Amino acid sequence: MGTRPALALLEILQGEGVDRIFGNPGTTELPFLAALSAAKDPPEYILGVHEGAVVAMADGYARATARPAFVSLHIAAGLANGLIGLLNARRSRTPLVVTAGQQDRRHLQQDPMLSADLIALAAPAVKAAYDIQHARDLPLALRRAFALATRPPAGPVFLSIPMDLLTENTEVDVPPRTPTPPQGPAPGLERAAHLLAGAARPVIVAGDGVGREGALDALVRVAETCGAPVHHQPMADCLDFPTTHPLYAGMLPPRHEAIRETLAPHDAVLIAGAHAFTPHHYSPGPALPPHLTVVQLDSDPDEIGRNFPAETGHVGALKPSLTHLAELLRDRVPAHTAKTRVLRAGDRHTADRDRADAAARAAYSKAPLAPWAAAHAVARALPPDSVVVEEAITVGLLLRRLVRLTRPGSYTHTVGGGLGWGIGAAVGRALAEPHRPVVAVLGDGSALFGLQGLWSAARLKTPVLFVVLGNGAYRTLQDTYAAMGGQGSCPGTELGQLDFTRAAGFFGVDAVRAESADHLRELVAGAAKLTGPLLIDVPLGP
């Protein structure tokens, strides 16, 4: 026996484990809201006052729960506002199922207000887009969307649903959910083990697939078994290797020439779960030195050999694949060889960290703070088990060098690069993990793009600490302009000093201005005791 379209939609959402709906509604969503109002134990509706914040909250929530988050947007305008978040989600491989109400089909040909080609609008920012024109197709397409959102490479999937379709006096069949077995280990890893074991100077690049798939511990075992130092991929979205580990060698810089220079001393590299190398600024030549033997492992078959040739490529789930690879290496690499490499790397990396720590401590002062001092104060004061949500474009690079994190999921960024993600993502993260301290580290330029997320933080009372680092400029543009040989000041990059305590107060968020590096450190240390959101305005100097 069938059910009405709107009720079928809700039934599928509940069957897929959706417990929260992230949205900003309009008239085309009223049939959906009516079904929510009448349902027994419906998912909670999480309201955002701008679609950019809505999608960012869903992004943060999906990453923490490791399942697709559901987003409801309003027609063409709402979808357009949410596109920046969808582009970020696609680049960061975040599974989302996104719907937008379309205008009533009975007058759609008359080009009514707010109508548009939603499929054409969404298509560049999502994995797939479905234009639902018949009620009978909605349940099947929705099931398909949830499955596709999580299939490697994960990402957002979009459905356009006409307003009148959900009010049809018809019954549709709801297909049962099809359990999908998890992806197994990659075949042929003996070849990978042979190449890595035969290397005199192996190195590992930990891609964000490692963090997304919960494979961090397995990668640690691989690294320790062959004694290979580990770099995070450029601008990593996740914590893919413990930053306290002796083998951790820091993040690769996002430029081909710098990656080549960093990897040149090595003769073999294992690249695990990395989407290309995500270069930011162009530099000539390939990312990898020509002499380097490349072993590539990924759960997405399209990544193998995509941007660089590999001696051997393997497709499979990262956690079981790396676990098996560690077992194979244990029989091929002498324990004393691995131990010697670990000790040597540990001495070198400890010295590097000590130098960075000393430089940052020496910069401590009263406000305005040096960027090194601000990054250090945040990194050293993080409460145990914290989650760092980072959207600080320039200071974030310093923060990555200073944080001491070990737990998977404790560092989150978006490699998509669309500004305004951080505030909403931190709210979504706190909703998913209410017992972990969430510290959002934001540049002032990034914060300006996502301020509306503070409204949701205040209304939901999410205990997020928002640290806004104010350098009064689009500093990364100024730095790049200078590096490119630009003369004089770079036009259009000055923001001036902004008072974010006043912005926070408007939305109902408590706020304080950091008076010194020690004061900032004290405020960050209190993040675990928050019962609601708090914003720290941190003035930065040169």
Side-chain angles (χ1 to χ4, degrees), residues 5-58:
L7 297 178
L9 192 160
L10 282 179
E11 182 179 333
I12 290 175
L13 294 187
Q14 291 172 315
E16 294 286 349
V18 172
D19 55 359
R20 287 185 165 101
I21 294 168
F22 297 88
N24 180 273
T27 52
T28 54
E29 286 69 54
L30 287 177
F32 177 51
L33 298 183
L36 272 178
S37 178
K40 182 181 180 181
D41 298 325
E44 180 183 5
Y45 193 98
I46 303 297
L47 176 63
V49 293
H50 187 277
E51 291 83 359
V54 166
V55 179
M57 286 191 289

Side-chain angles (χ1 to χ4, degrees), residues 341-393:
R341 291 172 178 172
V342 172
L343 291 173
R344 188 184 305 124
D347 290 342
R348 184 170 64 252
H349 298 155
T350 297
D352 290 341
R353 292 167 193 160
D354 287 346
R355 280 192 294 270
D357 189 80
R361 284 182 178 277
Y364 269 41
S365 69
K366 293 183 178 181
L369 305 183
W372 264 113
H376 186 275
V378 172
R380 289 297 174 271
L382 290 170
D385 206 26
S386 291
V387 176
V388 176
V389 177
E390 181 261 303
E391 194 184 19
I393 308 304

Side-chain angles (χ1 to χ4, degrees), residues 203-205 231-235 250-266 269 271 274-292 294 307-308:
V203 65
I204 296 172
V205 177
H231 292 277
H232 267 123
Q233 73 170 65
M235 305 311 298
M251 184 188 81
L252 287 174
R255 300 183 311 281
H256 279 181
E257 61 180 11
I259 295 171
R260 265 198 320 274
E261 182 180 349
T262 302
L263 299 181
H266 301 279
V269 60
I271 301 174
H275 173 57
F277 272 123
T278 321
H280 187 195
H281 303 296
Y282 172 78
S283 58
L288 302 180
H291 67 273
L292 198 62
V294 179
N307 279 2
F308 45 79

Side-chain angles (χ1 to χ4, degrees), residues 8 17 23 26 41 52 65 95 97 110 125 165 185 211 254 259 279 290 302 336 360 366 430 455-457 468 515 533:
D41 298 325
T65 60
V97 174
Q110 301 172 41
L165 186 146
I259 295 171
D302 287 342
H336 69 274
K366 293 183 178 181
W455 185 93
S456 297
V468 181
E515 299 173 356

Side-chain angles (χ1 to χ4, degrees), residues 280-466:
H280 187 195
H281 303 296
Y282 172 78
S283 58
L288 302 180
H291 67 273
L292 198 62
T293 297
V294 179
V295 176
Q296 192 175 8
L297 170 65
D298 210 287
S299 56
D300 177 8
D302 287 342
E303 287 298 331
I304 303 300
R306 182 175 183 272
N307 279 2
F308 45 79
E311 183 74 20
T312 181
H314 304 272
V315 179
L318 295 182
K319 186 174 182 177
S321 298
L322 290 169
T323 299
H324 184 44
L325 181 58
E327 295 169 354
L328 294 171
L329 286 168
R330 189 171 290 113
D331 295 332
R332 291 168 167 81
V333 179
H336 69 274
T337 299
K339 184 177 180 180
T340 299
R341 291 172 178 172
V342 172
L343 291 173
R344 188 184 305 124
D347 290 342
R348 184 170 64 252
H349 298 155
T350 297
D352 290 341
R353 292 167 193 160
D354 287 346
R355 280 192 294 270
D357 189 80
R361 284 182 178 277
Y364 269 41
S365 69
K366 293 183 178 181
L369 305 183
W372 264 113
H376 186 275
V378 172
R380 289 297 174 271
L382 290 170
D385 206 26
S386 291
V387 176
V388 176
V389 177
E390 181 261 303
E391 194 184 19
I393 308 304
T394 50
V395 181
L397 296 174
L398 307 178
L399 185 67
R400 289 168 183 266
R401 294 183 61 184
L402 295 167
V403 289
R404 302 290 182 259
L405 300 170
T406 59
R407 178 175 170 178
S410 58
Y411 197 96
T412 309
H413 174 74
T414 179
V415 77
L419 298 186
W421 165 88
I423 293 176
V427 173
R429 192 77 194 221
L431 289 173
E433 297 183 288
H435 303 299
R436 294 186 70 180
V438 177
V439 179
V441 183
L442 314 163
D444 49 1
S446 301
L448 286 174
F449 275 77
L451 275 179
Q452 296 93 339
L454 293 178
W455 185 93
S456 297
R459 296 311 182 276
L460 297 167
K461 296 182 172 58
T462 51
V464 177
L465 183 68
F466 299 101

Side-chain angles (χ1 to χ4, degrees), residues 70-89:
F70 184 75
V71 181
S72 175
L73 303 177
H74 173 51
I75 214 161
L79 173 59
N81 281 340
L83 281 178
I84 189 171
L86 297 181
L87 288 166
N88 284 339

Side-chain angles (χ1 to χ4, degrees), residues 24 26-29 73-81 99-104 108 112-116 118 121 158:
N24 180 273
T27 52
T28 54
E29 286 69 54
L73 303 177
H74 173 51
I75 214 161
L79 173 59
N81 281 340
T99 64
Q102 177 60 288
Q103 268 281 10
D104 193 306
L108 191 56
M113 185 173 68
L114 293 174
S115 67
L118 301 188
L121 190 60
F158 175 75

